[in-house]
Amino acid sequence: MKMGNVIVGQSGGPTAVINSSLVGIFQAARELGATKIYGMLHGVEGLLSDKYIDLSEHILTELDEELLKRTPSSYLGSCRYKLPDVKDDEKAYINIFNLLKKLEIEHFLYIGGNDSMDTIQKLSDYAKTKNINISFMGVPKTIDNDLVMTDHTPGFGSSAKYIGTVFKEIIRDGYVYGNKNVTIVEIMGRNAGWLTASASLSRMSDCPGPDMIFVPEIPFDISSFLTKVEDTQKRKSSLVIAVSEGLKDKDGRYICELSEHVVFTDSFGHKSLTGTADFLSDMVARKLGCKTRSIELSTLQRCASHIVSRTDINEAILAGGHAVKASYEGHSAEMIIFERISNDPYHIITKTCDIKLIANKEKKLPLEWLTDDRMFVKKEFFTYCRPLIQSELNPIMVGGLPLHLYNEELMF
């Protein structure tokens, strides 16, 4: 029996491999004989405005698929749209399901993180109450690595690889002049410190790694921080420090809110966090009177497809393909998860998991993986993280620059 019509969307912050999951979905749906494979433009928010494309008219060749694997950002566009509770506003659900009916959709797949899984849960619950026979499946995606029930998430490995690489380069640059200097690097991570901990990957035989890391799982004390920096600088001239954008003080206030940066809030109630490194760099300069520099990696850590992890790409494709096959077999209201079987050799398997166990929950960095002073990681983190950053998928270069698959629909 051939597969019915499929629609796929991408939501939340992009990753370097979110399009690889799209490739996995497209290939698996095609192999199972799907008549139509649609793509939402800008996720479920775009779907509400009747914005979608037929992917078979855009992904035409094997070269297109290879380029899409290497294309950063979300090929279909993304959104940060929170579906209202159906009891408060059913109109959005009626509009979505009317469109799904018009397109004769039987399989709805959404690539995203915590908030996206909330969307899958709400849509699947609504379909069940209305006896609508559509499968809703979640495909994991987030650089923050904070989805529960899965060993890790596609997107994290490539970001960790990028962060580890950049830190090696920043640390090397700090030794150039021999004068006292402090560089503070701000890394994404609202409530979970996985990415900030990844700066530690730079510690190798040719690099000492960051002097300190500060993750959001540990309340941040500015006075203690300044004392630690001052004491460390007595032993070495150049310091490089990794800080999470989501650092909070003991009262739960974001450190970046102490700066002059304007803080915005999205539809999920998440504050846009920026300025932590700037604020702390200024504080260090005032106290120590030395040269300081703040670096905010910002979107670079999620769009650096030129240094993507091949392991990450392969697993992203695997997650997308498994979601399609599970949907075809009758699964719904579930997300694909990874279970690690072994580290040496590294081996994972994919499973499905009830979306209610995942949506609106967060996986934090284990505190037992931090050293006693909470300023570095133990070997358990390296054992966990290193397999995820292995190997590369080289860009397809044209004119000295990487070539990407271009979606003209997003430009209008």
Side-chain angles (χ1 to χ4, degrees):
M1 183 177 67
K2 288 188 175 181
M3 191 173 199
N5 290 355
V6 175
I7 193 165
V8 55
Q10 297 172 314
S11 183
T15 78
V17 301
I18 189 172
N19 291 326
S20 293
S21 288
L22 181 60
V23 170
I25 289 170
F26 182 78
Q27 290 176 337
R30 183 182 58 198
E31 289 169 6
L32 289 170
T35 306
K36 291 286 187 180
I37 309 171
Y38 294 104
M40 309 170 213
L41 294 178
H42 299 295
V44 74
E45 186 174 23
L47 194 63
L48 282 165
S49 300
D50 212 32
K51 295 179 180 179
Y52 60 89
I53 59 174
D54 184 338
L55 280 170
S56 63
E57 296 176 358
H58 293 256
I59 306 173
L60 303 174
T61 66
E62 288 186 12
L63 177 59
D64 286 344
E65 294 175 20
E66 289 300 318
L67 286 174
L68 189 52
K69 292 178 190 176
R70 297 164 169 82
T71 297
S73 188
S74 302
Y75 179 75
L76 294 171
S78 187
C79 68
R80 293 192 183 277
Y81 175 77
K82 183 177 178 63
L83 271 176
D85 289 337
V86 67
K87 66 178 183 297
D88 298 327
D89 182 5
E90 192 179 2
K91 182 179 179 181
Y93 295 84
I94 293 171
N95 291 341
I96 290 172
F97 279 87
N98 281 343
L99 179 58
L100 296 180
K101 182 178 180 180
K102 182 182 79 171
L103 298 177
E104 298 180 342
I105 298 299
E106 296 182 20
H107 308 275
F108 183 109
L109 298 107
Y110 215 37
I111 310 169
N114 290 315
D115 298 333
S116 304
M117 297 310 124
D118 175 74
T119 298
I120 285 290
Q121 180 176 330
K122 287 176 177 176
L123 291 176
S124 59
D125 286 347
Y126 185 81
K128 188 179 295 184
T129 62
K130 300 295 182 180
N131 294 315
I132 298 173
N133 190 25
I134 297 177
S135 165
F136 293 87
M137 291 294 299
V139 180
K141 171 271 342 168
T142 173
I143 65 171
D144 293 326
N145 199 38
D146 59 354
L147 284 173
V148 301
M149 306 305 293
T150 184
D151 179 80
H152 58 280
T153 54
F156 169 66
S158 292
S159 289
K161 186 182 186 79
Y162 173 80
I163 290 167
T165 301
V166 167
F167 262 80
K168 291 194 71 175
E169 295 166 343
I170 291 171
I171 290 167
R172 184 65 55 194
D173 185 81
Y175 296 137
V176 169
Y177 298 113
N179 60 325
K180 289 189 174 183
N181 64 90
V182 177
T183 300
I184 302 177
V185 185
E186 181 177 328
I187 300 173
M188 284 183 173
R190 180 177 305 277
N191 298 315
W194 295 98
L195 285 177
T196 305
S198 298
S200 303
L201 294 170
S202 61
R203 179 173 288 186
M204 300 171 61
S205 60
D206 62 340
C207 180
D211 296 283
M212 310 172 201
I213 66 169
F214 293 92
V215 298
E217 286 85 353
I218 306 296
F220 185 81
D221 182 84
I222 294 176
S223 177
S224 175
F225 165 76
L226 292 172
T227 298
K228 289 173 182 176
V229 173
E230 185 175 29
D231 289 345
T232 305
Q233 198 174 59
K234 292 174 182 177
R235 302 192 300 271
K236 58 182 300 191
S237 60
S238 178
L239 275 61
V240 177
I241 301 167
V243 301
S244 167
E245 65 179 3
L247 289 183
K248 296 179 182 178
D249 62 22
K250 61 182 177 59
D251 298 319
R253 185 179 184 184
Y254 287 112
I255 299 303
C256 67
E257 293 183 285
L258 303 176
S259 71
E260 296 181 355
H261 287 268
V262 177
V263 178
F264 296 98
T265 302
D266 66 17
S267 62
F268 286 89
H270 302 322
K271 293 181 178 179
S272 62
L273 307 179
T274 183
T276 301
D278 278 349
F279 175 76
L280 294 177
S281 175
D282 184 61
M283 295 289 289
V284 171
R286 292 174 185 274
K287 180 174 178 62
L288 301 186
C290 69
K291 179 180 180 180
T292 63
R293 177 182 288 111
S294 66
I295 299 174
E296 185 179 348
L297 298 185
S298 188
T299 55
L300 293 173
Q301 60 208 299
R302 73 185 193 193
C303 66
S305 61
H306 63 285
I307 193 171
V308 71
S309 158
R310 183 187 285 266
T311 297
D312 201 15
I313 280 186
N314 290 341
E315 292 181 348
I317 293 171
L318 179 65
H322 189 166
V324 171
K325 292 174 183 176
S327 182
Y328 176 73
E329 293 169 357
H331 292 259
S332 186
E334 296 177 342
M335 188 191 82
I336 302 302
I337 63 171
F338 295 150
E339 180 179 315
R340 191 177 305 213
I341 302 303
S342 65
N343 270 316
D344 189 17
Y346 172 68
H347 178 58
I348 58 104
I349 60 173
T350 53
K351 294 182 174 181
T352 60
C353 182
D354 187 340
I355 202 72
K356 287 183 172 62
L357 300 177
I358 299 169
N360 303 306
K361 297 177 175 63
E362 286 182 314
K363 179 179 69 177
K364 303 293 185 66
L365 180 72
L367 296 184
E368 61 269 23
W369 287 7
L370 296 174
T371 53
D372 291 342
D373 61 8
R374 301 298 201 231
M375 291 195 297
F376 208 73
V377 295
K378 296 179 181 177
K379 65 178 181 179
E380 287 85 352
F381 179 81
F382 292 103
T383 300
Y384 168 83
C385 199
R386 279 184 176 139
L388 309 182
I389 69 171
Q390 298 305 309
S391 301
E392 297 76 39
L393 187 67
N394 293 329
I396 296 173
M397 307 296 287
V398 175
L401 295 174
L403 187 65
H404 300 143
L405 191 65
Y406 171 68
N407 185 358
E408 68 279 1
E409 300 285 346
L410 297 185
M411 305 305 294
F412 300 98

